[in-house]
Amino acid sequence: MTAVANRPVEKLNAKEAADELRRLATEIAHHDERYHGQDAPEISDADYDALRLRNEAIEKRFPELVREDSPSRRVGVAPQAKFGKIRHRVPMLSLGNGFSEEDVREFLGRIRRFLNLGADAPVELLAEPKIDGLSLSLRYEKGKLVQGATRGDGAEGENVTANVRTVKDIPNAVDAKDFPDVFEVRGEIYMTHKDFAKMNEKQAQAGEKVFANPRNAAAGSLRQLDPSITASRPLRFFAYAWGEVSKLPADTQWGVIQAFKRWGFPVNPLSKLCTSADELLAQYHKIESERALLGYDIDGVVYKVNRLDWQERLGFVSRAPRWGLAHKFTAEKAMTILEGIDIQVGRTGAMTPVARLKPVTVGGVVVSNATLHNEDEIGRKDIRIGDMVIVQRAGDVIPQILGFVPEKRPKDAKPYKFPETCPVCGSHAVREVNEKTGKVDAVRRCTGGLICAAQRAERLKHFVSRNAFDIEGMGDKVIEEFLELGFISSPPDIFTLEKRKVKVDELEGWGETSARNLFAAINDRRSIPLDRFIYALGIRHIGETNARLLARAYGSADALRDAMRAAGKGKEEEAHQELMSHDGIGPIVAEAIVDFFSEKHNVEVFDKLLQQVEATPLEAVRQSPVSGKTVVFTGALEKMTRDEAKAMAERLGAKVAGSVSKKTDLLIAGPGAGSKLKDAQKHGVEVIDEAEWFRRVGG
Ligand code: IVH
């Protein structure tokens, strides 16, 4: 997202506002199509609402910038071409959204002002659940169902008459005496959680499409070109509004709903007449608390002015009535059973506990996994397997477990013991001490980087990268392909590709020449300086500098391995003390390398690798005019790369630093040197150019 997309509306200038409105129009249209057109939303309702609210707010500030294709001028998306179209005689509009108590009070205040009512004049409103399905208009003529239409874009919907005739909740004929000649009943098509689960199971068994949530399932089931498929789907209906009518059976919203009931249409039992904001809010909280037990999805509570003459007077603003408000639920929560805990191993070895849940719909999405963050979190919340847990899904983030329900804890609920070995590769897993805080890290990590399937790809990419083995022709793509084909699984395999007669040349995009070149590039690296060898292993905290340090300190791969194995026996061991005595090796680096070598899987790979390649000792450090000095390179160098310069200086016994401080002895500055040059002048550090450097070191 661009910076403008995050900027508060009141800070936008006209140009930015226009850009934002363009972006929002495109984005909202895209999500409308995903939601209405494909029944496959990509973002949560809350995020979608946020986009629309932002669009509205910008349009309010810059009315002159409202676009021809503004989302505020549309309700949903145009109907799909495959169904016939039906123009709604009375448009099917939407409702304005509210999210807070304040929004509800403002809504009521607006109504009072508009109708010029005193602050105490009673205003009756109906509060009822907002069903999370799709709206439908049913036209009856002389008591017969003659037409069923989806909302479509609000003006024109899809003709789904044949399909709605198969829905059991919808009467095909109404023979009540007071049923008007023309009457369009409007309401919501939905699916219960139970029916949804059963249907999805059937679909899965038959190898058919499974739906993400009940709403999508209802939409997908209604919009079937073959009505017999719709007939086999468990669709339900609630009536709550109307379109064109020749006569109304009552002069209040409540009265019409009672008539619906008499006429045989299902109406929601939680509807309640209220007379104040407090009462509305009480009903909102009551419905919210019963939400999990309803057995179908709702996403808020709708308030509607009861008197129809007042509804008439209040009328509409753009796409929504002034007399109605959808008070949306915010954080989406649900309760379900924690069936188990799985450990996911990330690409860097981090082990994350994931809750395996009995599937539950949270805010319109079926959730069967949720994150438990880390080992400590499980302990802190005392969450046990078998517990009834509270799941929260906020926006698009991974659902999380908030806690457990104490009254529902089964006697045999088991505390969870976090594994100390990696579930993917069996290597031992450790918690490090955080460098900055000095505390034990919350994250446990697998130490089997070189063999762990979860980490393999990243490790191999690192292994062949430029400052490690630098194998030409072995990029990320090749590593991934070779891994997938089983050609390689750990670094030593790279060096046996040719001997194993792996048919690299037969792969797509390869030929004899490229395969030969690859083998040549690999053979070219059968001898490599020890520091690069160590660096290539990808041990945590062992970057190039530490690798060089270790290479110099231990001299050979065998010596390093033996010393680290010995150091792993305990901190009191001489080998451990020696490791810590090296300048630059602190406890964190020491622990990381000792951990690596105490994992036998790693040692196996290490030894196998040594059968294939020779790790050559670094050149002895020469006594030179720069021995023991701290030097810094800056600016462009002409005769050598920065890496070469660094290696050369180190070979000559100098220490290479990345920035200039008062400890710096020498700055080698090429053309284009900037802040480091200034720093050097400030600290009185000697500055020389590349030519002078070569003169001094005699090369
Ligand atoms: S009244 C003119 N009542 O919410 C407004 N709508 O955001 C007519 N919905 O398109 C709609 N439950 O699909 C109304 N009890 C309810 C509702 C409800 C769900 C849906 C409906 C509508 C959307 C508006």
Side-chain angles (χ1 to χ4, degrees), residues 93-95 128-131 135 151 188 240 302 304 321 323:
L93 297 172
S94 190
L95 289 165
E128 62 191 26
K130 184 169 181 335
I131 317 297
S135 49
R151 185 171 69 175
E188 203 86 350
Y240 54 66
V302 180
K304 297 172 185 171
W323 47 260

Side-chain angles (χ1 to χ4, degrees), residues 636-642 644-645 648 690-694 699:
L637 300 174
E638 279 163 20
K639 295 215 172 70
M640 49 186 177
T641 66
R642 189 62 67 78
E644 271 180 288
M648 179 182 186
E690 195 182 2
E692 172 62 19
W693 164 259
F694 277 109

Side-chain angles (χ1 to χ4, degrees), residues 8-79:
V9 173
E10 58 290 355
K11 296 235 169 87
L12 294 175
N13 62 35
K15 157 87 176 57
E16 290 166 339
D19 287 348
E20 266 299 85
L21 289 175
R22 179 168 2 95
R23 176 186 76 87
L24 288 163
T26 315
E27 237 181 77
I28 292 170
H30 168 75
H31 293 305
D32 280 343
E33 164 59 19
R34 295 290 305 186
Y35 188 92
H36 297 286
Q38 302 171 25
D39 301 323
E42 279 169 355
I43 60 171
S44 69
D45 290 358
D47 288 347
Y48 175 81
D49 288 338
L51 291 178
R52 284 204 91 113
L53 283 175
R54 184 169 171 82
N55 189 70
E56 265 170 47
I58 299 175
E59 288 184 344
K60 206 164 156 194
R61 251 199 86 204
F62 300 93
E64 69 286 358
L65 295 180
V66 175
R67 300 168 61 86
E68 214 25 66
D69 64 350
S70 165
S72 62
R73 298 182 178 213
R74 282 180 294 122
V75 176
V77 283

